[in-house]
Amino acid sequence: MAGMDDTLHLALEHHRARRLAEADRLYREILRRKIADRAGFIESTPDDFAGALAHIYLSGGTDIEFIRLMEWEAIESGGRKCIAEDERRALFEKAVARLRVLQRRGSIPRGVNLTHLFISMLSLALFPLVMPQIIRLIHGMEPTDKRFMRERENFLRWLGERLAGSGVNPAVPVRSRSRLNTTVRMGAAVHRGSSFNKPGQIP
């Protein structure tokens, strides 16, 4: 079987020549092989949240061919069953289970919806290659630039460390959390014997 680069080049030639059935077959073959290459993705994930976030980026968010194939699949599938759907669903379930382990160890705050957290991690890691023109307009670099990739990895590690150590319980709605904090501050002020000059003013 031809190498993946040769297969992709051949698929693109078929696509340009409007031999769409053959291009479709080759695209599916390449994507299936790309997915198979990531079979050990979960087992190699670090045991800390910041490392896990950077790991997702380095494993998928730097492979422009993989991202383009995923975009092709999203456009062409039309709601039909995905390529290697059962295997991918099992992989994602393992990823969420791995986050659950990190949560029990205290690396992720309690109350976090782990399914939404994993979706957000994928979004943070994959967006630069999904929308490279947006990255170029905002940052001035291509997302495939080695300097950008180093910056992005470092930023995701920084962000992961702060999210893991925030201690905020996202199960409490933001508005409720705000009212709770206000009540606590008002109670502390009253306990200190402070007076309020204006309604709602907190010293």
Side-chain angles (χ1 to χ4, degrees):
M1 183 177 290
M4 197 174 299
D5 289 343
D6 292 338
T7 305
L8 181 59
H9 181 72
L10 182 59
L12 291 171
E13 286 186 352
H14 283 306
H15 200 124
R16 294 188 187 104
R18 307 302 294 172
R19 297 188 291 268
L20 300 183
E22 186 61 21
D24 181 90
R25 184 187 68 79
L26 291 174
Y27 283 144
R28 289 178 178 275
E29 175 189 324
I30 298 165
L31 184 54
R32 189 174 289 108
R33 288 160 66 181
K34 287 275 190 181
I35 292 167
D37 287 345
R38 287 163 172 76
F41 165 73
I42 301 303
E43 287 73 13
S44 59
T45 301
D47 289 331
D48 63 289
F49 179 69
L53 185 55
H55 178 70
I56 291 176
Y57 173 67
L58 294 173
S59 299
T62 59
D63 186 344
I64 194 165
E65 289 180 0
F66 179 62
I67 298 302
R68 286 175 175 171
L69 286 167
M70 295 286 284
E71 291 180 308
W72 163 82
E73 182 188 42
I75 294 169
E76 296 294 328
S77 66
R80 298 190 302 273
K81 190 171 183 177
C82 296
I83 298 169
E85 181 167 315
D86 294 338
E87 293 88 342
R88 289 156 78 179
R89 191 185 304 278
L91 185 68
F92 293 150
E93 288 173 352
K94 287 173 65 176
V96 174
R98 187 65 176 263
L99 293 177
R100 192 170 293 114
V101 171
L102 295 181
Q103 191 175 51
R104 284 198 294 267
R105 293 176 179 173
S107 296
I108 297 173
R110 291 179 297 172
V112 173
N113 184 313
L114 297 177
T115 300
H116 280 291
L117 178 62
F118 182 57
I119 292 171
S120 298
M121 292 170 74
L122 289 176
S123 301
L124 284 166
L126 303 182
F127 179 82
L129 287 184
V130 173
M131 292 287 182
Q133 73 277 26
I134 301 300
I135 302 304
R136 186 171 62 252
L137 289 170
I138 295 173
H139 190 287
M141 287 186 189
E142 295 289 343
T144 52
D145 190 298
K146 296 293 185 183
R147 292 171 297 169
F148 177 87
M149 292 165 64
R150 284 195 299 270
E151 286 183 9
R152 189 66 181 168
E153 179 187 357
N154 290 336
F155 169 77
L156 290 175
R157 290 185 185 280
W158 174 88
L159 180 64
E161 289 170 358
R162 276 139 189 86
L163 289 176
S166 68
V168 173
N169 185 349
V172 178
V174 173
R175 290 181 63 186
S176 298
R177 196 183 302 145
S178 177
R179 289 196 299 269
L180 178 61
N181 290 341
T182 299
T183 303
V184 169
R185 291 198 302 269
M186 289 176 66
V190 170
H191 181 72
R192 291 195 304 268
S194 302
S195 59
F196 295 93
N197 297 323
K198 297 180 182 178
Q201 182 181 13
I202 301 172

